[in-house]
PDB file of all heavy atoms in Angstrom:
ATOM      1  N   ASN A   1       0.820  -1.200   0.000  1.00 81.00           N
ATOM      2  CA  ASN A   1       0.000   0.000   0.000  1.00 81.00           C
ATOM      3  C   ASN A   1       0.862   1.261   0.000  1.00 81.00           C
ATOM      4  O   ASN A   1       0.609   2.211   0.727  1.00 81.00           O
ATOM      5  CB  ASN A   1      -0.951  -0.005   1.203  1.00 81.00           C
ATOM      6  CG  ASN A   1      -1.956  -1.123   1.106  1.00 81.00           C
ATOM      7  OD1 ASN A   1      -2.570  -1.316   0.067  1.00 81.00           O
ATOM      8  ND2 ASN A   1      -2.115  -1.868   2.172  1.00 81.00           N
ATOM      9  N   LEU A   2       1.886   1.260  -0.837  1.00 85.00           N
ATOM     10  CA  LEU A   2       2.795   2.394  -0.972  1.00 85.00           C
ATOM     11  C   LEU A   2       2.049   3.614  -1.509  1.00 85.00           C
ATOM     12  O   LEU A   2       1.285   3.502  -2.466  1.00 85.00           O
ATOM     13  CB  LEU A   2       3.912   2.002  -1.944  1.00 85.00           C
ATOM     14  CG  LEU A   2       5.020   3.004  -2.178  1.00 85.00           C
ATOM     15  CD1 LEU A   2       5.973   2.979  -0.994  1.00 85.00           C
ATOM     16  CD2 LEU A   2       5.769   2.649  -3.441  1.00 85.00           C
ATOM     17  N   VAL A   3       2.236   4.758  -0.860  1.00 92.00           N
ATOM     18  CA  VAL A   3       1.610   6.005  -1.301  1.00 92.00           C
ATOM     19  C   VAL A   3       2.723   7.002  -1.620  1.00 92.00           C
ATOM     20  O   VAL A   3       3.631   7.201  -0.809  1.00 92.00           O
ATOM     21  CB  VAL A   3       0.682   6.596  -0.214  1.00 92.00           C
ATOM     22  CG1 VAL A   3       0.120   7.935  -0.654  1.00 92.00           C
ATOM     23  CG2 VAL A   3      -0.434   5.627   0.117  1.00 92.00           C
ATOM     24  N   ILE A   4       2.657   7.583  -2.799  1.00 95.00           N
ATOM     25  CA  ILE A   4       3.633   8.589  -3.205  1.00 95.00           C
ATOM     26  C   ILE A   4       2.887   9.881  -3.489  1.00 95.00           C
ATOM     27  O   ILE A   4       1.892   9.877  -4.219  1.00 95.00           O
ATOM     28  CB  ILE A   4       4.413   8.141  -4.456  1.00 95.00           C
ATOM     29  CG1 ILE A   4       5.228   6.874  -4.137  1.00 95.00           C
ATOM     30  CG2 ILE A   4       5.315   9.260  -4.967  1.00 95.00           C
ATOM     31  CD1 ILE A   4       5.903   6.253  -5.329  1.00 95.00           C
ATOM     32  N   SER A   5       3.345  10.969  -2.897  1.00 96.00           N
ATOM     33  CA  SER A   5       2.740  12.279  -3.114  1.00 96.00           C
ATOM     34  C   SER A   5       3.819  13.284  -3.478  1.00 96.00           C
ATOM     35  O   SER A   5       4.935  13.219  -2.981  1.00 96.00           O
ATOM     36  CB  SER A   5       2.034  12.774  -1.847  1.00 96.00           C
ATOM     37  OG  SER A   5       0.947  11.956  -1.528  1.00 96.00           O
ATOM     38  N   ARG A   6       3.455  14.222  -4.348  1.00 97.00           N
ATOM     39  CA  ARG A   6       4.348  15.342  -4.644  1.00 97.00           C
ATOM     40  C   ARG A   6       4.042  16.423  -3.619  1.00 97.00           C
ATOM     41  O   ARG A   6       2.895  16.686  -3.287  1.00 97.00           O
ATOM     42  CB  ARG A   6       4.114  15.857  -6.071  1.00 97.00           C
ATOM     43  CG  ARG A   6       5.126  16.930  -6.464  1.00 97.00           C
ATOM     44  CD  ARG A   6       5.010  17.359  -7.912  1.00 97.00           C
ATOM     45  NE  ARG A   6       3.740  18.020  -8.162  1.00 97.00           N
ATOM     46  CZ  ARG A   6       2.819  17.585  -9.027  1.00 97.00           C
ATOM     47  NH1 ARG A   6       3.009  16.475  -9.726  1.00 97.00           N
ATOM     48  NH2 ARG A   6       1.712  18.238  -9.197  1.00 97.00           N
ATOM     49  N   ILE A   7       5.095  17.039  -3.097  1.00 97.00           N
ATOM     50  CA  ILE A   7       4.929  18.088  -2.097  1.00 97.00           C
ATOM     51  C   ILE A   7       5.022  19.441  -2.787  1.00 97.00           C
ATOM     52  O   ILE A   7       6.030  19.753  -3.421  1.00 97.00           O
ATOM     53  CB  ILE A   7       5.992  17.987  -0.986  1.00 97.00           C
ATOM     54  CG1 ILE A   7       5.953  16.597  -0.335  1.00 97.00           C
ATOM     55  CG2 ILE A   7       5.785  19.089   0.051  1.00 97.00           C
ATOM     56  CD1 ILE A   7       7.117  16.328   0.595  1.00 97.00           C
ATOM     57  N   GLU A   8       3.955  20.211  -2.667  1.00 96.00           N
ATOM     58  CA  GLU A   8       3.940  21.579  -3.176  1.00 96.00           C
ATOM     59  C   GLU A   8       3.650  22.503  -1.997  1.00 96.00           C
ATOM     60  O   GLU A   8       3.406  22.045  -0.881  1.00 96.00           O
ATOM     61  CB  GLU A   8       2.881  21.724  -4.270  1.00 96.00           C
ATOM     62  CG  GLU A   8       3.196  20.899  -5.501  1.00 96.00           C
ATOM     63  CD  GLU A   8       2.228  21.124  -6.644  1.00 96.00           C
ATOM     64  OE1 GLU A   8       1.262  21.905  -6.496  1.00 96.00           O
ATOM     65  OE2 GLU A   8       2.436  20.506  -7.703  1.00 96.00           O
ATOM     66  N   PHE A   9       3.678  23.788  -2.236  1.00 95.00           N
ATOM     67  CA  PHE A   9       3.440  24.758  -1.172  1.00 95.00           C
ATOM     68  C   PHE A   9       2.344  25.717  -1.597  1.00 95.00           C
ATOM     69  O   PHE A   9       2.333  26.191  -2.737  1.00 95.00           O
ATOM     70  CB  PHE A   9       4.732  25.512  -0.840  1.00 95.00           C
ATOM     71  CG  PHE A   9       5.800  24.595  -0.309  1.00 95.00           C
ATOM     72  CD1 PHE A   9       6.709  23.979  -1.164  1.00 95.00           C
ATOM     73  CD2 PHE A   9       5.877  24.331   1.047  1.00 95.00           C
ATOM     74  CE1 PHE A   9       7.671  23.113  -0.679  1.00 95.00           C
ATOM     75  CE2 PHE A   9       6.847  23.466   1.541  1.00 95.00           C
ATOM     76  CZ  PHE A   9       7.747  22.851   0.678  1.00 95.00           C
ATOM     77  N   ASP A  10       1.416  25.989  -0.669  1.00 96.00           N
ATOM     78  CA  ASP A  10       0.333  26.917  -0.982  1.00 96.00           C
ATOM     79  C   ASP A  10       0.799  28.355  -0.789  1.00 96.00           C
ATOM     80  O   ASP A  10       1.978  28.610  -0.497  1.00 96.00           O
ATOM     81  CB  ASP A  10      -0.926  26.595  -0.167  1.00 96.00           C
ATOM     82  CG  ASP A  10      -0.769  26.818   1.338  1.00 96.00           C
ATOM     83  OD1 ASP A  10       0.224  27.461   1.771  1.00 96.00           O
ATOM     84  OD2 ASP A  10      -1.636  26.355   2.087  1.00 96.00           O
ATOM     85  N   GLU A  11      -0.118  29.303  -0.938  1.00 97.00           N
ATOM     86  CA  GLU A  11       0.231  30.726  -0.853  1.00 97.00           C
ATOM     87  C   GLU A  11       0.729  31.139   0.527  1.00 97.00           C
ATOM     88  O   GLU A  11       1.379  32.180   0.681  1.00 97.00           O
ATOM     89  CB  GLU A  11      -0.972  31.595  -1.260  1.00 97.00           C
ATOM     90  CG  GLU A  11      -2.199  31.444  -0.400  1.00 97.00           C
ATOM     91  CD  GLU A  11      -3.077  30.248  -0.786  1.00 97.00           C
ATOM     92  OE1 GLU A  11      -2.825  29.597  -1.806  1.00 97.00           O
ATOM     93  OE2 GLU A  11      -4.010  29.968  -0.019  1.00 97.00           O
ATOM     94  N   ASN A  12       0.467  30.314   1.556  1.00 97.00           N
ATOM     95  CA  ASN A  12       0.942  30.597   2.913  1.00 97.00           C
ATOM     96  C   ASN A  12       2.234  29.858   3.244  1.00 97.00           C
ATOM     97  O   ASN A  12       2.709  29.897   4.367  1.00 97.00           O
ATOM     98  CB  ASN A  12      -0.134  30.222   3.939  1.00 97.00           C
ATOM     99  CG  ASN A  12      -1.391  31.024   3.763  1.00 97.00           C
ATOM    100  OD1 ASN A  12      -1.347  32.227   3.506  1.00 97.00           O
ATOM    101  ND2 ASN A  12      -2.532  30.371   3.875  1.00 97.00           N
ATOM    102  N   GLY A  13       2.782  29.164   2.256  1.00 95.00           N
ATOM    103  CA  GLY A  13       4.005  28.408   2.478  1.00 95.00           C
ATOM    104  C   GLY A  13       3.777  27.069   3.153  1.00 95.00           C
ATOM    105  O   GLY A  13       4.734  26.402   3.537  1.00 95.00           O
ATOM    106  N   GLU A  14       2.514  26.664   3.284  1.00 97.00           N
ATOM    107  CA  GLU A  14       2.181  25.388   3.909  1.00 97.00           C
ATOM    108  C   GLU A  14       2.328  24.256   2.897  1.00 97.00           C
ATOM    109  O   GLU A  14       1.986  24.412   1.727  1.00 97.00           O
ATOM    110  CB  GLU A  14       0.736  25.409   4.432  1.00 97.00           C
ATOM    111  CG  GLU A  14       0.461  26.473   5.473  1.00 97.00           C
ATOM    112  CD  GLU A  14       1.079  26.154   6.812  1.00 97.00           C
ATOM    113  OE1 GLU A  14       1.157  24.956   7.163  1.00 97.00           O
ATOM    114  OE2 GLU A  14       1.489  27.099   7.506  1.00 97.00           O
ATOM    115  N   GLU A  15       2.818  23.120   3.358  1.00 96.00           N
ATOM    116  CA  GLU A  15       2.947  21.963   2.473  1.00 96.00           C
ATOM    117  C   GLU A  15       1.580  21.457   2.061  1.00 96.00           C
ATOM    118  O   GLU A  15       0.659  21.373   2.873  1.00 96.00           O
ATOM    119  CB  GLU A  15       3.693  20.830   3.176  1.00 96.00           C
ATOM    120  CG  GLU A  15       5.147  21.112   3.408  1.00 96.00           C
ATOM    121  CD  GLU A  15       5.859  19.953   4.083  1.00 96.00           C
ATOM    122  OE1 GLU A  15       5.194  19.018   4.589  1.00 96.00           O
ATOM    123  OE2 GLU A  15       7.091  19.977   4.118  1.00 96.00           O
ATOM    124  N   VAL A  16       1.482  21.108   0.784  1.00 97.00           N
ATOM    125  CA  VAL A  16       0.276  20.502   0.240  1.00 97.00           C
ATOM    126  C   VAL A  16       0.721  19.250  -0.503  1.00 97.00           C
ATOM    127  O   VAL A  16       1.638  19.301  -1.315  1.00 97.00           O
ATOM    128  CB  VAL A  16      -0.444  21.471  -0.735  1.00 97.00           C
ATOM    129  CG1 VAL A  16      -1.666  20.820  -1.332  1.00 97.00           C
ATOM    130  CG2 VAL A  16      -0.792  22.774  -0.035  1.00 97.00           C
ATOM    131  N   TYR A  17       0.079  18.141  -0.196  1.00 96.00           N
ATOM    132  CA  TYR A  17       0.421  16.877  -0.834  1.00 96.00           C
ATOM    133  C   TYR A  17      -0.551  16.623  -1.983  1.00 96.00           C
ATOM    134  O   TYR A  17      -1.756  16.597  -1.775  1.00 96.00           O
ATOM    135  CB  TYR A  17       0.374  15.735   0.181  1.00 96.00           C
ATOM    136  CG  TYR A  17       1.424  15.896   1.253  1.00 96.00           C
ATOM    137  CD1 TYR A  17       1.202  16.694   2.374  1.00 96.00           C
ATOM    138  CD2 TYR A  17       2.654  15.275   1.133  1.00 96.00           C
ATOM    139  CE1 TYR A  17       2.174  16.857   3.345  1.00 96.00           C
ATOM    140  CE2 TYR A  17       3.634  15.422   2.094  1.00 96.00           C
ATOM    141  CZ  TYR A  17       3.385  16.216   3.199  1.00 96.00           C
ATOM    142  OH  TYR A  17       4.353  16.387   4.154  1.00 96.00           O
ATOM    143  N   VAL A  18      -0.003  16.456  -3.187  1.00 97.00           N
ATOM    144  CA  VAL A  18      -0.836  16.258  -4.371  1.00 97.00           C
ATOM    145  C   VAL A  18      -0.391  14.987  -5.096  1.00 97.00           C
ATOM    146  O   VAL A  18       0.740  14.518  -4.943  1.00 97.00           O
ATOM    147  CB  VAL A  18      -0.764  17.472  -5.334  1.00 97.00           C
ATOM    148  CG1 VAL A  18      -1.287  18.729  -4.664  1.00 97.00           C
ATOM    149  CG2 VAL A  18       0.652  17.700  -5.813  1.00 97.00           C
ATOM    150  N   ALA A  19      -1.294  14.464  -5.899  1.00 96.00           N
ATOM    151  CA  ALA A  19      -0.984  13.254  -6.660  1.00 96.00           C
ATOM    152  C   ALA A  19       0.069  13.567  -7.718  1.00 96.00           C
ATOM    153  O   ALA A  19      -0.025  14.568  -8.425  1.00 96.00           O
ATOM    154  CB  ALA A  19      -2.248  12.723  -7.317  1.00 96.00           C
ATOM    155  N   PRO A  20       1.082  12.717  -7.830  1.00 97.00           N
ATOM    156  CA  PRO A  20       2.086  12.908  -8.872  1.00 97.00           C
ATOM    157  C   PRO A  20       1.534  12.453 -10.223  1.00 97.00           C
ATOM    158  O   PRO A  20       0.534  11.728 -10.281  1.00 97.00           O
ATOM    159  CB  PRO A  20       3.226  11.996  -8.424  1.00 97.00           C
ATOM    160  CG  PRO A  20       2.546  10.901  -7.670  1.00 97.00           C
ATOM    161  CD  PRO A  20       1.377  11.558  -6.992  1.00 97.00           C
ATOM    162  N   THR A  21       2.200  12.863 -11.283  1.00 96.00           N
ATOM    163  CA  THR A  21       1.853  12.339 -12.600  1.00 96.00           C
ATOM    164  C   THR A  21       2.256  10.861 -12.632  1.00 96.00           C
ATOM    165  O   THR A  21       3.009  10.389 -11.772  1.00 96.00           O
ATOM    166  CB  THR A  21       2.601  13.080 -13.722  1.00 96.00           C
ATOM    167  OG1 THR A  21       4.014  12.822 -13.568  1.00 96.00           O
ATOM    168  CG2 THR A  21       2.328  14.578 -13.696  1.00 96.00           C
ATOM    169  N   ASP A  22       1.775  10.141 -13.617  1.00 96.00           N
ATOM    170  CA  ASP A  22       2.151   8.730 -13.748  1.00 96.00           C
ATOM    171  C   ASP A  22       3.658   8.580 -13.884  1.00 96.00           C
ATOM    172  O   ASP A  22       4.260   7.691 -13.284  1.00 96.00           O
ATOM    173  CB  ASP A  22       1.460   8.094 -14.956  1.00 96.00           C
ATOM    174  CG  ASP A  22      -0.040   7.915 -14.755  1.00 96.00           C
ATOM    175  OD1 ASP A  22      -0.508   7.972 -13.597  1.00 96.00           O
ATOM    176  OD2 ASP A  22      -0.737   7.717 -15.767  1.00 96.00           O
ATOM    177  N   GLU A  23       4.275   9.467 -14.661  1.00 96.00           N
ATOM    178  CA  GLU A  23       5.723   9.402 -14.863  1.00 96.00           C
ATOM    179  C   GLU A  23       6.471   9.674 -13.561  1.00 96.00           C
ATOM    180  O   GLU A  23       7.460   8.997 -13.247  1.00 96.00           O
ATOM    181  CB  GLU A  23       6.169  10.397 -15.939  1.00 96.00           C
ATOM    182  CG  GLU A  23       5.657  10.078 -17.332  1.00 96.00           C
ATOM    183  CD  GLU A  23       4.223  10.557 -17.583  1.00 96.00           C
ATOM    184  OE1 GLU A  23       3.673  11.360 -16.777  1.00 96.00           O
ATOM    185  OE2 GLU A  23       3.633  10.113 -18.575  1.00 96.00           O
ATOM    186  N   GLU A  24       6.015  10.674 -12.790  1.00 96.00           N
ATOM    187  CA  GLU A  24       6.652  10.973 -11.507  1.00 96.00           C
ATOM    188  C   GLU A  24       6.497   9.798 -10.551  1.00 96.00           C
ATOM    189  O   GLU A  24       7.449   9.415  -9.869  1.00 96.00           O
ATOM    190  CB  GLU A  24       6.038  12.229 -10.880  1.00 96.00           C
ATOM    191  CG  GLU A  24       6.387  13.503 -11.596  1.00 96.00           C
ATOM    192  CD  GLU A  24       5.611  14.696 -11.077  1.00 96.00           C
ATOM    193  OE1 GLU A  24       4.444  14.534 -10.636  1.00 96.00           O
ATOM    194  OE2 GLU A  24       6.162  15.806 -11.136  1.00 96.00           O
ATOM    195  N   PHE A  25       5.287   9.229 -10.508  1.00 94.00           N
ATOM    196  CA  PHE A  25       5.039   8.095  -9.621  1.00 94.00           C
ATOM    197  C   PHE A  25       5.994   6.951  -9.931  1.00 94.00           C
ATOM    198  O   PHE A  25       6.633   6.400  -9.024  1.00 94.00           O
ATOM    199  CB  PHE A  25       3.592   7.610  -9.749  1.00 94.00           C
ATOM    200  CG  PHE A  25       3.283   6.432  -8.872  1.00 94.00           C
ATOM    201  CD1 PHE A  25       2.838   6.621  -7.582  1.00 94.00           C
ATOM    202  CD2 PHE A  25       3.459   5.133  -9.331  1.00 94.00           C
ATOM    203  CE1 PHE A  25       2.565   5.534  -6.757  1.00 94.00           C
ATOM    204  CE2 PHE A  25       3.194   4.037  -8.523  1.00 94.00           C
ATOM    205  CZ  PHE A  25       2.753   4.242  -7.229  1.00 94.00           C
ATOM    206  N   GLU A  26       6.114   6.600 -11.205  1.00 94.00           N
ATOM    207  CA  GLU A  26       6.991   5.500 -11.595  1.00 94.00           C
ATOM    208  C   GLU A  26       8.450   5.794 -11.263  1.00 94.00           C
ATOM    209  O   GLU A  26       9.169   4.916 -10.771  1.00 94.00           O
ATOM    210  CB  GLU A  26       6.822   5.204 -13.077  1.00 94.00           C
ATOM    211  CG  GLU A  26       5.472   4.587 -13.401  1.00 94.00           C
ATOM    212  CD  GLU A  26       5.250   4.364 -14.889  1.00 94.00           C
ATOM    213  OE1 GLU A  26       6.231   4.394 -15.660  1.00 94.00           O
ATOM    214  OE2 GLU A  26       4.084   4.160 -15.265  1.00 94.00           O
ATOM    215  N   ALA A  27       8.899   7.025 -11.494  1.00 95.00           N
ATOM    216  CA  ALA A  27      10.288   7.384 -11.214  1.00 95.00           C
ATOM    217  C   ALA A  27      10.579   7.324  -9.716  1.00 95.00           C
ATOM    218  O   ALA A  27      11.618   6.791  -9.294  1.00 95.00           O
ATOM    219  CB  ALA A  27      10.595   8.779 -11.755  1.00 95.00           C
ATOM    220  N   VAL A  28       9.661   7.846  -8.900  1.00 95.00           N
ATOM    221  CA  VAL A  28       9.867   7.830  -7.450  1.00 95.00           C
ATOM    222  C   VAL A  28       9.783   6.403  -6.922  1.00 95.00           C
ATOM    223  O   VAL A  28      10.588   5.998  -6.082  1.00 95.00           O
ATOM    224  CB  VAL A  28       8.854   8.761  -6.741  1.00 95.00           C
ATOM    225  CG1 VAL A  28       8.939   8.616  -5.229  1.00 95.00           C
ATOM    226  CG2 VAL A  28       9.089  10.204  -7.148  1.00 95.00           C
ATOM    227  N   ARG A  29       8.835   5.614  -7.426  1.00 91.00           N
ATOM    228  CA  ARG A  29       8.712   4.219  -7.001  1.00 91.00           C
ATOM    229  C   ARG A  29       9.993   3.455  -7.332  1.00 91.00           C
ATOM    230  O   ARG A  29      10.521   2.716  -6.500  1.00 91.00           O
ATOM    231  CB  ARG A  29       7.519   3.553  -7.673  1.00 91.00           C
ATOM    232  CG  ARG A  29       7.305   2.115  -7.166  1.00 91.00           C
ATOM    233  CD  ARG A  29       6.370   1.329  -8.024  1.00 91.00           C
ATOM    234  NE  ARG A  29       6.921   1.288  -9.376  1.00 91.00           N
ATOM    235  CZ  ARG A  29       6.184   1.218 -10.466  1.00 91.00           C
ATOM    236  NH1 ARG A  29       4.886   1.190 -10.396  1.00 91.00           N
ATOM    237  NH2 ARG A  29       6.754   1.186 -11.659  1.00 91.00           N
ATOM    238  N   ASP A  30      10.527   3.664  -8.534  1.00 93.00           N
ATOM    239  CA  ASP A  30      11.765   2.991  -8.923  1.00 93.00           C
ATOM    240  C   ASP A  30      12.927   3.407  -8.022  1.00 93.00           C
ATOM    241  O   ASP A  30      13.732   2.568  -7.602  1.00 93.00           O
ATOM    242  CB  ASP A  30      12.105   3.280 -10.386  1.00 93.00           C
ATOM    243  CG  ASP A  30      11.124   2.624 -11.358  1.00 93.00           C
ATOM    244  OD1 ASP A  30      10.342   1.739 -10.939  1.00 93.00           O
ATOM    245  OD2 ASP A  30      11.130   3.015 -12.541  1.00 93.00           O
ATOM    246  N   ALA A  31      13.016   4.696  -7.706  1.00 94.00           N
ATOM    247  CA  ALA A  31      14.077   5.189  -6.826  1.00 94.00           C
ATOM    248  C   ALA A  31      13.927   4.590  -5.427  1.00 94.00           C
ATOM    249  O   ALA A  31      14.913   4.182  -4.803  1.00 94.00           O
ATOM    250  CB  ALA A  31      14.050   6.712  -6.764  1.00 94.00           C
ATOM    251  N   TYR A  32      12.703   4.508  -4.933  1.00 91.00           N
ATOM    252  CA  TYR A  32      12.449   3.929  -3.613  1.00 91.00           C
ATOM    253  C   TYR A  32      12.862   2.457  -3.595  1.00 91.00           C
ATOM    254  O   TYR A  32      13.543   2.004  -2.671  1.00 91.00           O
ATOM    255  CB  TYR A  32      10.972   4.081  -3.235  1.00 91.00           C
ATOM    256  CG  TYR A  32      10.604   3.302  -2.003  1.00 91.00           C
ATOM    257  CD1 TYR A  32      10.943   3.776  -0.735  1.00 91.00           C
ATOM    258  CD2 TYR A  32       9.948   2.080  -2.089  1.00 91.00           C
ATOM    259  CE1 TYR A  32      10.635   3.049   0.394  1.00 91.00           C
ATOM    260  CE2 TYR A  32       9.641   1.354  -0.968  1.00 91.00           C
ATOM    261  CZ  TYR A  32       9.976   1.838   0.274  1.00 91.00           C
ATOM    262  OH  TYR A  32       9.682   1.120   1.394  1.00 91.00           O
ATOM    263  N   GLU A  33      12.450   1.710  -4.626  1.00 90.00           N
ATOM    264  CA  GLU A  33      12.796   0.290  -4.685  1.00 90.00           C
ATOM    265  C   GLU A  33      14.310   0.088  -4.738  1.00 90.00           C
ATOM    266  O   GLU A  33      14.838  -0.835  -4.120  1.00 90.00           O
ATOM    267  CB  GLU A  33      12.109  -0.371  -5.875  1.00 90.00           C
ATOM    268  CG  GLU A  33      10.614  -0.512  -5.676  1.00 90.00           C
ATOM    269  CD  GLU A  33       9.872  -1.038  -6.889  1.00 90.00           C
ATOM    270  OE1 GLU A  33      10.489  -1.174  -7.977  1.00 90.00           O
ATOM    271  OE2 GLU A  33       8.669  -1.314  -6.762  1.00 90.00           O
ATOM    272  N   LYS A  34      15.011   0.964  -5.449  1.00 93.00           N
ATOM    273  CA  LYS A  34      16.471   0.879  -5.505  1.00 93.00           C
ATOM    274  C   LYS A  34      17.076   1.136  -4.121  1.00 93.00           C
ATOM    275  O   LYS A  34      18.010   0.443  -3.708  1.00 93.00           O
ATOM    276  CB  LYS A  34      17.017   1.875  -6.525  1.00 93.00           C
ATOM    277  CG  LYS A  34      18.507   1.792  -6.692  1.00 93.00           C
ATOM    278  CD  LYS A  34      19.021   2.747  -7.746  1.00 93.00           C
ATOM    279  CE  LYS A  34      20.532   2.643  -7.849  1.00 93.00           C
ATOM    280  NZ  LYS A  34      21.096   3.587  -8.799  1.00 93.00           N
TER     281      LYS A  34
END
């Protein structure tokens, strides 16, 4: 149940977790597995 989120920042500088693109998800998953 691995969850990958891209971290962005809102107008107040607060972290916001958003869904990555398919390409980002695959790249991060591959890096994690390595």
Side-chain angles (χ1 to χ4, degrees):
N1 295 312
L2 183 77
V3 176
I4 297 173
S5 295
R6 186 174 65 241
I7 304 170
E8 295 185 358
F9 297 90
D10 66 13
E11 61 277 353
N12 298 319
E14 300 287 327
E15 290 181 347
V16 178
Y17 295 84
V18 298
T21 65
D22 290 343
E23 294 82 13
E24 290 172 328
F25 179 89
E26 290 176 16
V28 173
R29 184 194 59 210
D30 291 346
Y32 170 77
E33 289 174 352
K34 183 178 179 183

